[in-house]
Amino acid sequence: MSQETKRQLLECKDMLNFPKSVERFYAGRLYQLAWVAKSNHNRQLAPAMLILDCVKQYGLTMDNFHGNNLLYKQIEIFAQEPEMLSGSQRAIFDVLMTDAMLTFMNYLHYGQFNPTLTPLAVDEGKLGDFNAVHKLYTLMESRDFYNDIASVQPLSKEYDELQEYMHLVRGQYLEDSYEFPEKSVRKMTINMERLRWSNAKPGPALTINIPAEIAKLHLPKSVIEFKVIVGKPSSPTPTLISTITHFTTAPEWKVPSNIFVNEILPKAIRDKDYLENNHFAIYDVKGNYVNISRQKLAYIKAHPKSYSARQASGCDNAMGKLVFRFENPYQVFLHGTPLPKLFLSKHRALSHGCIRIANVETLAEMILIADGSKNKIPMMRKAIAGYQKKNFVLKTPLPITIDYITCAMSDSQLVIFEDIYAQDRALEMAMYGYERLLASDLKISLKAVSTLP
């Protein structure tokens, strides 16, 4: 059978989602069948088939799991009349089942459309914190295959709540013909996919959800929410994963070049006192301070790439009392604001891409306490009160995740947030397929029309 397995690995290669991973799995078993030998079939086959029946309850689609080839009728033959199946038929079934289980785990853990760890990268062996091939080896000896294989899912509370509700919707509401909007099911599915990309770990962390315009500080015994201001649709805040290494009180603001050219410079030309009144200074490409006159401003307007602006610390500094520092390629900052009234707005997609957070001093204090640095709080308060620039380095960098999640569970109810950057449709089409999506939307529209008086 080992030669037959090798042959089917070659013949089935184009059918497999993770062909190299499947090859690695069988190579580690000396190419012996895992699920269906001639004289017996593995005790894990039944729960594996049950998993395939329930993939929709995990926010996945049946199309990726060889449903037309992995049939219960074949299992009956394996058990009752094994001589009826040839070696190639058993090998094909075995290889496809292995690919289905590896696909299930990789899609649950990393996501199907992860922009960083793509399925192709995972299949090549460029893994993050999880190896589906190694996990499948241990699962073959598991006494609780169903729950053990499902344990590879993300550990975040937001994901877990959506997962539980999806189980309820797919396993009870829709199966029992309860009314539940298909659009809401799709909304849950695409956001479970997004949550798999961040793969949050246990422990203190700061998460920011752009559509909800909310930040959450996750502590061992509590979660504290803070309102945030995020980027406008014309200057969206990017999603990212990083760690906060330190924060700075009374920060100086290095103005991004697009803001300098499009906003600061025109205002300075119209109002000769604008730069001084708002504590801006202009520097040349070598970092030298530039004395400003109308003639000089006209020259800078003609050669803006050779100049930049900085705003000194103070009560009206655009970054407010302090700024949290974390490495990222987008030059995005998390900081306070001199305009706290903006947090009273219902819609807070107002910035140029950076994130302004309410009660920034309170957040900094909580982070210091969680970091075991409560003794630094008085020093921080003094630096803020005196507009003194000072860095506070964390003993343990704090994970920060900026996500784009357009629905969440709250008090057992599904809450849908505005898709402010119009990102949902593209992911829906990738997950469901253009034609299926259009047909589903048409069905929903016709149903809505039929309920009109």
Side-chain angles (χ1 to χ4, degrees), residues 53-57 62 166-180 182 185:
D53 288 339
C54 301
V55 293
K56 287 185 177 180
Q57 295 181 24
M62 288 293 297
M166 180 67 82
H167 268 289
L168 183 63
V169 169
R170 286 293 192 189
Q172 178 177 330
Y173 291 174
L174 297 181
E175 293 295 330
D176 293 345
S177 300
Y178 286 100
E179 293 291 335
F180 193 87
E182 176 64 23
V185 173

Side-chain angles (χ1 to χ4, degrees), residues 19-52:
K20 293 184 178 181
S21 300
V22 174
E23 171 74 33
R24 289 194 292 271
F25 174 79
Y26 282 104
R29 293 177 53 88
L30 301 177
Y31 295 95
Q32 297 300 308
L33 297 183
W35 309 93
V36 287
K38 186 173 182 180
S39 58
N40 70 303
H41 58 276
N42 192 292
R43 62 189 172 89
Q44 311 296 26
L45 182 55
M49 290 295 289
L50 181 59
I51 285 285
L52 297 183

Side-chain angles (χ1 to χ4, degrees), residues 58-61 64 103-104 106-119 153-154 159 162-163 166 185-199 403-405 407 427-428 430-432:
Y58 292 91
L60 303 173
T61 56
N64 300 304
T103 300
F104 181 75
N106 281 326
Y107 284 2
L108 272 193
H109 190 83
Y110 294 119
Q112 184 179 356
F113 299 96
N114 191 318
T116 304
L117 277 171
T118 65
Q153 296 177 98
Y159 178 90
L162 279 179
Q163 168 66 86
M166 180 67 82
V185 173
R186 296 203 304 256
K187 188 74 74 173
M188 290 161 50
T189 299
I190 65 174
N191 284 290
M192 287 170 66
E193 169 71 12
R194 286 180 176 133
L195 286 166
R196 292 175 187 128
W197 302 347
S198 58
N199 195 21
D403 280 326
Y404 192 89
I405 308 298
C407 73
L427 187 52
E428 273 187 292
M431 296 191 73
Y432 286 89

Side-chain angles (χ1 to χ4, degrees), residues 19 34 40 73 101 131 134 206 290 310 325 333 341 422:
N40 70 303
K73 183 182 292 186
M101 292 299 102
N131 188 320
H134 291 170
L206 185 68
V290 176
R310 299 178 196 171
R325 309 286 189 182
F333 300 101
K341 288 185 178 180

Side-chain angles (χ1 to χ4, degrees), residues 67-262:
N68 293 330
N69 301 94
L70 302 174
L71 305 173
Y72 279 101
K73 183 182 292 186
Q74 289 173 288
I75 296 180
E76 292 176 11
I77 298 174
F78 294 145
Q80 299 172 12
E81 302 177 86
E83 297 298 331
M84 289 184 63
L85 294 175
S86 66
S88 63
Q89 288 175 309
R90 287 194 295 275
I92 291 171
F93 186 98
D94 211 87
V95 167
L96 293 180
M97 177 57 78
T98 296
D99 185 60
M101 292 299 102
L102 292 176
T103 300
F104 181 75
M105 288 189 285
N106 281 326
Y107 284 2
L108 272 193
H109 190 83
Y110 294 119
Q112 184 179 356
F113 299 96
N114 191 318
T116 304
L117 277 171
T118 65
L120 180 60
V122 171
D123 195 36
E124 291 284 349
K126 298 175 183 177
L127 304 171
D129 61 345
F130 174 70
N131 188 320
V133 173
H134 291 170
K135 181 67 175 180
L136 190 53
Y137 286 143
T138 64
L139 285 169
M140 301 311 284
E141 306 300 325
S142 173
R143 295 184 178 182
D144 190 1
F145 184 95
Y146 187 96
N147 288 317
D148 282 351
I149 196 170
S151 69
V152 307
Q153 296 177 98
L155 300 176
S156 71
K157 183 174 182 288
E158 290 79 6
Y159 178 90
D160 190 52
E161 290 176 342
L162 279 179
Q163 168 66 86
E164 287 186 12
Y165 197 55
M166 180 67 82
H167 268 289
L168 183 63
V169 169
R170 286 293 192 189
Q172 178 177 330
Y173 291 174
L174 297 181
E175 293 295 330
D176 293 345
S177 300
Y178 286 100
E179 293 291 335
F180 193 87
E182 176 64 23
K183 281 193 173 182
S184 294
V185 173
R186 296 203 304 256
K187 188 74 74 173
M188 290 161 50
T189 299
I190 65 174
N191 284 290
M192 287 170 66
E193 169 71 12
R194 286 180 176 133
L195 286 166
R196 292 175 187 128
W197 302 347
S198 58
N199 195 21
K201 301 291 190 301
L206 185 68
T207 60
I208 297 168
N209 184 11
I210 296 168
E213 297 166 353
I214 289 292
K216 293 182 179 180
L217 179 62
H218 300 262
L219 300 173
K221 295 183 179 181
S222 61
V223 178
I224 300 95
E225 291 191 358
F226 298 83
K227 291 182 179 181
V228 296
I229 293 168
V230 297
K232 299 175 288 189
S234 59
S235 53
T237 298
T239 59
L240 59 87
I241 300 172
S242 187
T243 52
I244 296 174
T245 54
H246 64 289
F247 62 86
T248 306
T249 57
E252 179 184 69
W253 182 37
K254 295 180 181 179
V255 182
S257 59
N258 63 316
I259 299 178
F260 171 62
V261 172
N262 299 321

Side-chain angles (χ1 to χ4, degrees), residues 391-405:
N391 289 325
F392 291 80
V393 179
L394 301 181
K395 298 175 184 176
T396 304
L398 180 72
I400 178 172
T401 302
I402 302 176
D403 280 326
Y404 192 89
I405 308 298

